[in-house]
Amino acid sequence: MAHLLHIDSSFLGDQSVSRRLTARAVERWRNAHPGGTVTYRDLATEPIPHLDGVTGMARVLPAKALSPAQRDSMALTVQLIDEIKQADTIVLGLPLYNFGPPSTVKAWVDHIVAPGLSFDVESETGLLGNSEFIVLESRGGGYGPGTPREGWDHAESWLPHAVSMTGLSPRFIIAELTMANSKPAMAELKPLAAESLSRALAAIDALWAADENAA
């Protein structure tokens, strides 16, 4: 039975464009996979603890050397990696905050990069590469080629490198200029924002169209 891991991270709730995109993706995935199951994780309402001076070494120390706090941290890592291994597809909502990913997404990545669990230490082979990884990114401004802030989107450039050891390979679908409808200074960009959102929705609709037609 097909299984999807759905992850949101925006703190904007119903106003979030990335949440709108992931909801659309999950709907389309369900249509293409009747009877498929979904695991949902909301990093904004139930954030994953950031690694600190106590828990940071939990993934590299021998199990018998772990403190209680480190054992708890390691147990969460195992749970998060198991969620990925059980999923045929992962859908991650990724808003751009201050030109980078939400810190909660960084914490998720820090937990899932674990020797022996998400990659083989000796061969450095990723162990999570069987999961399709769709990243639905929302950007308040414009960061495309030729724009004043070209290259300022450090979320899109960071994530593929961050998860590369695990074997995950993210495919990005991006809607940008999402602040045009709420920021008067960007009012003239509303048509471009609408075009960007329309392209993103169309790309989402095409993801599993062949599966849906065959179902």
Side-chain angles (χ1 to χ4, degrees):
M1 181 181 295
H3 186 68
L4 172 75
L5 174 59
H6 172 194
I7 304 174
D8 279 323
S9 61
S10 170
F11 52 58
L12 293 180
D14 293 341
Q15 302 302 312
S16 166
V17 173
S18 68
R19 287 177 182 268
R20 176 180 173 184
L21 296 178
T22 62
R24 175 75 159 247
V26 172
E27 177 188 6
R28 292 298 186 269
W29 184 89
R30 285 186 182 276
N31 290 340
H33 302 87
T37 56
V38 177
T39 293
Y40 181 61
R41 182 170 287 277
D42 192 331
L43 301 179
T45 60
E46 296 185 44
I48 292 168
H50 292 84
L51 302 185
D52 56 28
V54 175
T55 61
M57 294 295 291
R59 276 137 292 278
V60 296
L61 291 174
K64 63 182 180 181
L66 298 180
S67 69
Q70 289 170 332
R71 284 196 295 271
D72 289 344
S73 180
M74 191 61 186
L76 178 56
T77 280
V78 171
Q79 178 184 352
L80 296 173
I81 290 175
D82 282 346
E83 288 178 354
I84 294 171
K85 288 181 176 180
Q86 293 166 11
D88 302 286
T89 299
I90 305 162
V91 169
L92 170 66
L94 183 69
L96 186 68
Y97 291 158
N98 297 318
F99 313 114
S103 65
T104 52
V105 174
K106 177 64 164 61
W108 178 74
V109 169
D110 287 343
H111 273 272
I112 67 171
V113 179
L117 294 176
S118 61
F119 66 92
D120 180 78
V121 177
E122 293 185 3
S123 66
E124 297 187 351
T125 301
L127 303 177
L128 306 182
N130 290 331
S131 297
E132 176 186 33
F133 190 17
I134 306 298
V135 180
L136 304 178
E137 183 182 357
S138 59
R139 311 193 296 207
Y143 299 86
T147 63
R149 287 180 172 170
E150 178 183 356
W152 283 42
D153 177 356
H154 299 293
E156 183 186 6
S157 59
W158 162 78
L159 186 59
H161 297 99
V163 300
S164 60
M165 292 185 67
T166 72
L168 289 172
S169 181
R171 172 183 174 181
F172 282 81
I173 295 175
I174 300 172
E176 66 174 11
L177 299 169
T178 62
M179 295 180 65
N181 289 324
S182 59
K183 197 170 183 179
M186 296 176 63
E188 64 181 12
L189 299 174
K190 287 183 180 181
L192 292 178
E195 290 177 13
S196 180
L197 179 60
S198 179
R199 285 195 300 271
L201 294 174
I204 290 169
D205 290 348
L207 284 172
W208 305 288
D211 294 340
E212 186 174 353
N213 292 334

